[in-house]
Amino acid sequence: MSGVGKPHNGTIQEQDIAPRRECPTGPTENYAKKLEEKRNLLRRQKSNNRRIMSRGYSVTSVGRLDSQGSVFAPEAFEQISFAEDKKVRKKRSMSRSISASSADSFSSASYTSSDEEDDVSPREKLQTNSKNFSDFCIRNIKHADFGRREIEIAEQEMPALMDLRKRAQGDKPLNGARIVGCTHISAQSAVLIETLSALGAKVRWCCCNIYSTQNEVAAALSEAGYSIFAWKGQEEEDFWWCIEKCITADGWHPNMILDDGGDLTHSIIKKYQTIFRGMKGIVEESVTGVHRLYQLAKTGKLSIPAMNVNDSVTKQKFDNLYSCRESVLDGLKRTTDIMFGGKQVVICGYGEVGKGCCSALKGLGAVSYVTEIDPICALQACMDGIRVVRLHEVVKTADIFITCSGNKNVITRESLDKMKNGAIVCNMGHSNTEIDVTSLKTNDLTWEKVRSQVDHVIWPDGKRIVLLAEGRLLNLSCSTVPSFVLSITHCTQALALIELFNAPEGRYKQDVYLLPKKMDEYVASLHLATFDAHLTELTDDQAKYLGLNKSGPFKPNYYSLNALITLGCLHFP
């Protein structure tokens, strides 16, 4: 045979394919048809290869080829000035902030749709669920099935909240409550929303962060008949519009607030004083929001009672510490693929969030520094083996900067100018005021979008820093938070709402209160069964000796894990 012994270059040549044999029988006809299709495919590939080479394309530097040989130039390296940023941002993909190697995975922060409808602003399209319900505004109702699976996964890791729902739904302790909520819209918060509904409440919900909404979860809640106004990647105007839609609706008169950051409370006080004065109470879970409430109480503008769940022991110790210890690494890895060993990391603030961040980074071999104003927190950092410095002492050499103080302008333009090329800057606090991002939006700097939630900010001399989530909350903008920890937080919020709503007249005045320790301990006890933990019970003699009730509470109401350092962290220089 003429083809035997010829060297083969690894590419199938058309002449190597055996001639087509004509045969009237069915199986051979099918074989011949497939063979002809293969010949045609080879011809197309050859033609495309010639076209690409003739144009001088370099696949490695320009983009990638699809199965038909077409060239795709990546959008990831598009350079834009700040003047163009606002227009471009509307067209940005809401894809997961992860490396290409894990782009096929699907989790609570990962859903990405190529549906052209997703490019249209949710405010510009009318959507209805399967029951013709339309009182919501989300990215795409078609993703509801995916969101429902996310919620079901979260429920498995939130046993105590599910147990609370099961125990209390018969009594309906929130029957008559009309709750307006402004929190992160995630699979875990969806479990809370559905729990509040099962306990008798009616709810309307929006997001407290323009990047933290899981679009598929918002779709699942809307499909279930909840009024949700949230989508990932909102503009600032959209954010406030969604809050307005939650407050105002035909026949809707909210009487409870569940807030995360204080923006919802601020809007109601500013624009709807009559509604605000008729409410039964506020539940606030963030440092920033609690600080605002104390300011309102001090100036006499707080006309209803408020519950500070941020300083409850369960919230401080578990959500702020353990949650951040796990999620800070997740957020940094997904967005930058960085290796932490040997990196110099500056953590601005050593409250519970800062402690969690330092613990995680230290475990992976990072060299950590802390900036603090509070001598107690600073001493704790020293005892944990971490150097306490001023920012200007390490700003030129550090690799990663993480803010978690609850204050404003912790990292200023002056500090950003001094950072080395490639420095990573991010925020683990609730508010986006800790990093002075506004000072970077000037004509002398260029913003280069790398991935979703990842921007290069380029100086005229070519130096660039990596800014994550535009200075907003890293873990919920760029990754996820452990469901179990949020079960603790959401149980605390649910019990606080029940307490305020059912409290007799006069128990709570126009002030800010800590969650009663009995409830704090109850939340903790609900979660012990997961670990098969067994509490030791006091004897009568021991209880008398300690002056305690055998069933608790075991801590006085004034006890707070973070009571001494909360205000200190809020006034970061």
Side-chain angles (χ1 to χ4, degrees):
M1 296 177 65
S2 60
V4 176
K6 288 185 180 181
H8 202 286
N9 60 7
T11 304
I12 299 176
Q13 303 296 324
E14 186 174 349
Q15 61 266 28
D16 294 335
I17 301 174
R20 179 178 177 179
R21 297 181 180 179
E22 299 293 339
C23 183
T25 58
T28 308
E29 286 180 352
N30 292 336
Y31 169 78
K33 184 177 179 181
K34 291 180 180 178
L35 192 58
E36 186 64 29
E37 289 175 354
K38 193 170 185 178
R39 281 199 181 101
N40 291 334
L41 177 61
L42 284 169
R43 294 188 188 102
R44 285 198 301 272
Q45 289 176 338
K46 287 180 182 179
S47 174
N48 283 331
N49 286 339
R50 293 191 201 101
R51 175 171 56 82
I52 292 166
M53 296 308 294
S54 67
R55 293 183 182 180
Y57 286 135
S58 172
V59 175
T60 57
S61 61
V62 175
R64 61 179 176 82
L65 298 177
D66 72 353
S67 60
Q68 301 300 320
S70 301
V71 177
F72 287 84
E75 297 176 357
F77 303 102
E78 177 186 6
Q79 292 193 7
I80 57 174
S81 65
F82 175 67
E84 299 169 329
D85 182 54
K86 191 171 182 180
K87 291 186 289 184
V88 174
R89 193 183 307 155
K90 291 183 179 180
K91 300 179 181 179
R92 288 179 176 177
S93 168
M94 290 298 109
S95 60
R96 183 185 186 182
S97 308
I98 50 174
S99 62
S101 63
S102 55
D104 292 334
S105 65
F106 184 99
S107 72
S108 56
S110 66
Y111 189 68
T112 303
S113 173
S114 59
D115 196 325
E116 292 181 1
E117 291 182 11
D118 286 358
D119 294 331
V120 180
S121 170
R123 292 173 61 179
E124 297 175 5
K125 57 185 180 182
L126 177 64
Q127 301 182 76
T128 58
N129 67 8
S130 59
K131 298 179 182 177
N132 291 323
F133 175 75
S134 61
D135 188 19
F136 59 87
C137 189
I138 60 170
R139 177 66 65 183
N140 196 331
I141 191 66
K142 295 178 182 177
H143 302 159
D145 288 343
F146 294 104
R148 180 50 56 185
R149 293 169 199 159
E150 295 279 358
I151 295 170
E152 289 169 354
I153 291 173
E155 288 176 346
Q156 301 304 311
E157 270 289 291
M158 304 178 79
L161 188 59
M162 297 300 292
D163 187 32
L164 179 64
R165 181 193 299 186
K166 184 178 179 180
R167 293 186 186 193
Q169 65 181 356
D171 298 331
K172 302 289 184 186
L174 290 175
N175 190 30
R178 297 179 296 278
I179 303 170
V180 56
C182 183
T183 66
H184 303 286
I185 304 291
S186 62
Q188 296 80 17
S189 62
V191 179
L192 170 64
I193 291 169
E194 294 187 335
T195 297
L196 297 177
S197 179
L199 301 186
K202 294 181 179 178
V203 302
R204 293 176 73 84
W205 227 265
C206 58
C207 63
C208 66
N209 184 302
I210 64 174
Y211 292 128
S212 65
T213 297
Q214 293 174 220
N215 288 330
E216 67 277 14
V217 171
L221 288 170
S222 300
E223 175 61 32
Y226 296 99
S227 296
I228 306 296
F229 297 86
W231 61 93
K232 189 170 186 175
Q234 293 175 331
E235 297 292 325
E236 199 75 20
E237 180 188 349
D238 298 328
F239 175 79
W240 295 108
W241 179 84
C242 287
I243 287 179
E244 288 285 321
K245 294 293 288 183
C246 282
I247 299 170
T248 59
D250 292 339
W252 172 253
H253 301 286
N255 55 17
M256 296 290 293
I257 296 174
L258 177 56
D259 208 353
D260 186 348
D263 290 322
L264 173 61
T265 302
H266 172 76
S267 293
I268 295 179
I269 291 175
K270 185 178 179 180
K271 298 181 180 180
Y272 306 99
Q273 275 287 337
T274 304
I275 293 177
F276 185 69
R277 285 193 294 268
M279 288 185 157
K280 289 201 168 189
I282 305 167
V283 173
E284 172 60 57
E285 74 151 316
S286 73
V287 172
T288 305
V290 166
H291 183 50
R292 289 180 173 182
L293 287 176
Y294 282 121
Q295 288 178 326
L296 289 171
K298 186 177 180 179
T299 57
K301 296 180 180 179
L302 186 63
S303 56
I304 58 176
M307 192 74 77
N308 167 13
V309 298
N310 177 72
D311 289 322
S312 63
V313 180
T314 45
K315 170 66 165 63
Q316 281 287 338
K317 190 66 176 176
F318 297 95
D319 194 337
N320 293 11
L321 176 60
Y322 296 115
S323 172
C324 294
R325 189 174 70 180
E326 297 197 16
S327 60
V328 66
L329 299 179
D330 192 15
L332 285 167
K333 281 286 190 183
R334 292 195 196 199
T335 50
T336 66
D337 301 314
I338 192 171
M339 184 172 182
F340 296 106
K343 293 294 190 300
Q344 296 186 48
V345 185
V346 180
I347 294 93
C348 299
Y350 201 64
E352 295 305 305
V353 174
K355 289 181 178 68
C357 293
C358 284
S359 174
L361 291 162
K362 186 177 180 180
L364 290 183
V367 179
S368 298
Y369 300 93
V370 161
T371 65
E372 251 302 342
I373 64 162
D374 190 309
I376 296 175
C377 293
L379 182 58
Q380 285 181 300
C382 292
M383 296 292 285
D384 289 337
I386 301 168
R387 279 196 61 195
V388 179
V389 299
R390 292 174 178 169
L391 185 58
H392 70 83
E393 296 173 14
V394 291
V395 70
K396 294 181 180 180
T397 57
D399 301 292
I400 304 172
F401 298 83
I402 303 172
T403 58
C404 47
S405 71
N407 202 2
K408 64 180 289 188
N409 295 338
V410 177
I411 296 181
T412 62
R413 174 63 186 268
E414 181 183 0
S415 297
L416 292 161
D417 286 338
K418 294 177 181 178
M419 290 179 186
K420 69 180 184 181
N421 183 51
I424 298 170
V425 184
C426 62
N427 171 45
M428 280 292 287
H430 174 84
S431 178
N432 64 332
T433 59
E434 301 206 32
I435 302 167
D436 189 10
V437 176
T438 304
S439 69
L440 297 176
K441 296 181 177 179
T442 56
N443 292 329
D444 63 319
L445 300 181
T446 302
W447 284 57
E448 178 183 83
K449 181 175 174 58
V450 182
R451 300 173 177 172
S452 176
Q453 318 297 350
V454 183
D455 291 290
H456 280 168
V457 183
I458 307 172
W459 269 250
D461 63 356
K463 184 196 89 170
R464 61 182 64 200
I465 65 168
V466 182
L467 180 64
L468 304 183
E470 295 187 18
R472 296 180 184 273
L473 185 58
L474 172 70
N475 54 2
L476 281 160
S477 296
C478 303
S479 63
T480 58
V481 176
S483 297
F484 185 82
V485 168
L486 289 181
S487 175
I488 299 171
T489 299
H490 292 333
C491 276
T492 305
Q493 292 171 315
L495 289 174
L497 287 167
I498 293 171
E499 171 65 15
L500 280 179
F501 183 71
N502 293 284
E505 191 74 25
R507 176 182 292 180
Y508 297 106
K509 297 178 171 50
Q510 299 169 358
D511 206 347
V512 183
Y513 295 85
L514 291 173
L515 186 74
K517 287 298 171 292
K518 184 71 174 176
M519 294 186 183
D520 229 345
E521 293 172 2
Y522 177 63
V523 170
S525 67
L526 286 175
H527 290 82
L528 290 176
T530 303
F531 304 100
D532 194 26
H534 306 279
L535 288 174
T536 300
E537 186 176 339
L538 290 173
T539 65
D540 292 336
D541 188 47
Q542 288 173 325
K544 183 178 179 181
Y545 176 77
L546 294 173
L548 297 175
N549 189 303
K550 291 176 65 174
S551 60
F554 301 99
K555 298 286 191 300
N557 278 335
Y558 58 80
Y559 174 85
S560 173
L561 185 71
N562 213 33
L564 293 175
I565 63 175
T566 299
L567 293 180
C569 288
L570 288 168
H571 297 290
F572 201 94

